[in-house]
Amino acid sequence: LASAALSSAPAAARQLTIDDVSMLSRVGAPTVSADGKWLVWAQRETDLAANRGRYDIWRLDLTRKGAKPEPLLAEADVNENDPQIVGSTVYFSSDKGGDDAIWSIPVAGGPPKELTGFQGGFGGFKVAPTADRILVWADRKPNAPSLAPALVKKDPNAGEGRVYDKMFVRHWDRWVDGTHSQLFVLPLTPSGAPGDGVAIEHGLDGDAPSRPFGGGEEVSWSADGKTVHFALRIAGTTEPLSTNLDIWSAPADGSTAPVNLTPG
């Protein structure tokens, strides 16, 4: 009886440590396919010895009772993040090769494919529901015509000082560096989304998504994939005095200027 009691006793509990917390898997960016068959998300794992984390893409088959989560993409030393499902394809960001780019993979599994090759980095993206365009937001110089980084030749005698002629100078935890978060659209075909895209804001003086906390929740595609809706606050000289954001509408081909849907 004594041996039976000992064998059934639970293992001794211990206090939760900071190492335990650090090693917990962190789940984010969940997305469900339109047909309700797949759940896909990004999952962060921690390598404590290397003092680094890594993001992988996981999936769950919602059609199978008792199905277990499994990695869809989990390549060592590569971060795969920001998944979204359009049709039967998962689109995601990856830093494979050293530069951030947008990739795709069939949700049922298969080889991943790099779609974009523009330079200069980006903050995020959304694929049109029609899967024929990609909306990208990225920090670029004001009124940038495309995602191509501006070629700025610096005077070799220039110092490191900056001149500010309006607020903000520092916004929350970052210095204002003369760029805006701007929206660009690239065509998407079965072979990829080449090129630097086209700007759709026509020089609006503001950030879309808003800084420093705005993200994909502030931009949206129309159901037909022809229009982009986004939130933006005109900066001007009064930006620090207002938290008001307006909703704007712009054609995805950049053919005409955006329209403010919530003026006043």
Side-chain angles (χ1 to χ4, degrees), residues 14-27 44-48 52-53:
R14 62 174 177 81
Q15 289 184 334
L16 184 70
T17 68
I18 188 61
D19 286 350
D20 295 326
V21 174
S22 300
M23 294 302 294
L24 291 174
S25 298
R26 288 161 170 78
V27 173
R44 184 186 186 277
E45 306 293 349
T46 301
D47 184 341
L48 200 60
R52 65 182 298 271

Side-chain angles (χ1 to χ4, degrees), residues 167-168 171 180 206-207 211 233-243:
M167 300 288 278
F168 289 104
H171 195 182
H180 279 314
D207 294 300
R211 289 175 173 173
R233 177 176 60 248
I234 295 295
T237 58
T238 61
E239 185 178 20
L241 306 178
S242 173
T243 57

Side-chain angles (χ1 to χ4, degrees), residues 1-8:
L1 290 177
S3 61
L6 288 173
S7 64
S8 61

Side-chain angles (χ1 to χ4, degrees), residues 141-190:
K141 293 293 183 181
N143 203 19
S146 73
L147 283 160
L151 298 177
V152 178
K153 186 176 181 180
K154 185 176 180 179
D155 186 335
N157 297 317
E160 297 298 324
R162 294 181 180 176
V163 176
Y164 291 89
D165 57 9
K166 67 176 184 178
M167 300 288 278
F168 289 104
V169 172
R170 184 175 174 86
H171 195 182
W172 289 89
D173 61 348
R174 62 178 290 173
W175 294 100
V176 174
D177 62 0
T179 65
H180 279 314
S181 178
Q182 300 171 61
L183 301 174
F184 306 88
V185 173
L186 293 86
L188 176 60
T189 69

Side-chain angles (χ1 to χ4, degrees), residues 58-81:
W58 285 66
R59 69 179 177 183
L60 177 65
D61 185 349
L62 301 177
T63 66
R64 292 193 298 114
K65 185 177 181 179
K68 295 183 178 180
E70 58 184 359
L72 178 61
L73 288 158
E75 189 171 345
D77 300 320
V78 174
N79 286 292
E80 298 108 356
N81 208 344

